[in-house]
Amino acid sequence: MLFKNRILQLSLAKRLYSVHSEIRQKTIHDLMAKYHAQKPISMVTAYDFITSTWANRANADIILVGDSLSMCSLGYASTTDLPLDEFQYHVKSICRAEGTSFIVADMPYGSFESSIEKGISTAVSLMKCSSRVNAVKLEVGSQKNDYALELASELCRRGIPVMGHIGLTPQRVHAMGGYKVQGSKSISDVMAIYLRAKELQDVGCFSLVLECVPHQIAKNITSKLHIPTIGIGAGPNTSGQVLVMSDLLGMTSGKVPKFVNKYSNIGELAVSGIANYIEEVNTASFPKIGQHTFTVNSEVLQEFIKELSSYG
């Protein structure tokens, strides 16, 4: 009998495991299939288990664990303030949400610049945060002899999928002189971005983010590549689009960038909901007996009251 029960337990465990494994994440192959079919690829950032669950339920092709969470979720002044260990905490949280979205983790500022060995170690540590991390994203400048290009090549050589990021690279905002459109002033700037895109493709990157690049330039760069481009502030003619979740949902107050379309106003809805709760607490209209409460057996209640009386 004990043997039969053990067999049943193992059978149920196997069944539960099989059900769980049916939720298959998208792969690079799936993304490339959309790209070759000329179907736009959707990418959105996430910060934690809840926002990752939202993105998965909305069927986002890609979830980017962006270092933008530094400002949008953690209250830092810049992406450059984000420590690697704090970022990894959020990567793990995001990966706990079930769903099919392909997950890409940023390489945070300060986690790879000191050496190729350090960069490889960081990338490996991010991939090991969870088996659901599918790739890393690396910001790469367009200047000659850029170190990050060499790192991208070394990561790809080691079988670590890399999404390159060119154009406006926020981690280099001080070197760039601020958050500015890239490739709009001179042919040399435009060609530098294009050549860097080609180089990242050639070293093995499976996709590129183009940020804050004139839409005509982004369109022409996209047409010359054979890997998908994901645009943010780069117009409609890239292979896909990415937005920061707090921007598109209106989760925080303040002005959003020009390239953002706000699809909701969660911040205002949240404040309104909390204010309504506080008002009902202050007026003693919440909680309501019967609607929000539980009952106890009347005999137990009477015994409890009787016991209380003995305590004076």
Side-chain angles (χ1 to χ4, degrees), residues 218-240:
K219 177 181 180 180
N220 279 280
I221 289 176
T222 298
S223 71
K224 292 294 183 179
L225 300 177
H226 57 254
I227 58 174
T229 58
I230 310 295
I232 178 166
N237 294 304
T238 50
S239 311

Side-chain angles (χ1 to χ4, degrees), residues 8-296:
L8 179 59
Q9 289 172 355
L10 291 171
S11 176
L12 287 172
K14 182 178 180 181
R15 208 174 304 152
L16 288 170
Y17 179 82
S18 298
V19 170
H20 179 74
S21 67
E22 285 177 3
I23 303 176
R24 186 185 72 85
Q25 273 186 283
K26 292 182 174 71
T27 64
I28 290 176
H29 177 80
D30 296 318
L31 300 177
M32 292 302 294
K34 286 199 77 170
Y35 167 69
H36 289 301
Q38 297 186 336
K39 295 180 179 179
I41 297 168
S42 59
M43 183 161 82
V44 64
T45 65
Y47 313 127
D48 52 23
F49 176 80
I50 292 176
T51 51
S52 179
T53 298
W54 290 350
N56 272 292
R57 289 181 63 186
N59 295 318
D61 291 316
I62 304 172
I63 289 175
L64 171 63
V65 192
D67 59 4
S68 58
L69 69 82
S70 174
M71 298 174 290
C72 300
S73 180
L74 301 180
Y76 288 116
S78 168
T79 59
T80 59
D81 293 332
L82 180 64
L84 177 61
D85 58 350
E86 198 165 355
F87 181 71
Q88 290 171 317
Y89 173 88
H90 286 265
V91 173
K92 292 174 183 177
S93 174
I94 285 162
C95 289
R96 293 187 193 110
E98 287 191 345
T100 63
S101 297
F102 187 92
I103 296 177
V104 179
D106 252 332
M107 296 271 285
Y109 179 79
S111 69
F112 63 88
E113 289 87 350
S114 60
S115 68
I116 294 292
E117 291 73 21
K118 173 68 172 177
I120 294 168
S121 176
T122 294
V124 170
S125 73
L126 289 171
M127 296 293 291
K128 286 177 72 65
C129 280
S130 169
S131 60
R132 289 175 56 78
V133 178
N134 303 108
V136 297
K137 182 172 77 63
L138 181 65
E139 293 188 14
V140 185
S142 56
Q143 67 270 24
K144 291 182 179 179
N145 301 317
D146 190 284
Y147 157 80
L149 175 63
E150 182 183 354
L151 175 57
S153 177
E154 291 299 321
L155 294 177
C156 290
R157 284 180 58 206
R158 286 162 172 77
I160 299 174
V162 177
M163 174 182 282
H165 182 159
I166 60 175
L168 173 61
T169 47
Q171 293 176 5
R172 299 163 183 245
V173 65
H174 299 303
M176 289 182 157
Y179 294 95
K180 301 177 181 179
V181 175
Q182 303 297 305
S184 64
K185 301 297 184 183
S186 70
I187 184 62
S188 61
D189 289 344
V190 174
M191 288 305 298
I193 294 172
Y194 167 66
L195 292 174
R196 186 49 33 91
K198 290 280 287 182
E199 288 169 332
L200 285 168
Q201 174 182 264
D202 291 345
V203 301
C205 290
F206 72 92
S207 179
L208 296 178
V209 169
L210 296 178
E211 181 166 359
C212 288
V213 175
H215 68 93
Q216 304 97 323
I217 303 302
K219 177 181 180 180
N220 279 280
I221 289 176
T222 298
S223 71
K224 292 294 183 179
L225 300 177
H226 57 254
I227 58 174
T229 58
I230 310 295
I232 178 166
N237 294 304
T238 50
S239 311
Q241 300 293 327
V242 58
L243 282 179
V244 172
M245 185 174 289
S246 59
D247 288 342
L248 75 91
L249 292 182
M251 295 171 73
T252 55
S253 60
K255 187 178 180 181
V256 298
K258 176 183 180 180
F259 52 78
V260 172
N261 194 38
K262 287 178 69 173
Y263 294 89
S264 186
N265 237 322
I266 283 181
E268 291 184 10
L269 290 171
V271 172
S272 176
I274 296 168
N276 288 339
Y277 157 70
I278 292 170
E279 174 65 18
E280 290 196 0
V281 169
N282 289 338
T283 59
S285 55
F286 173 84
K288 292 181 174 65
I289 297 294
Q291 184 176 347
H292 305 117
T293 58
F294 304 97
T295 60
V296 62

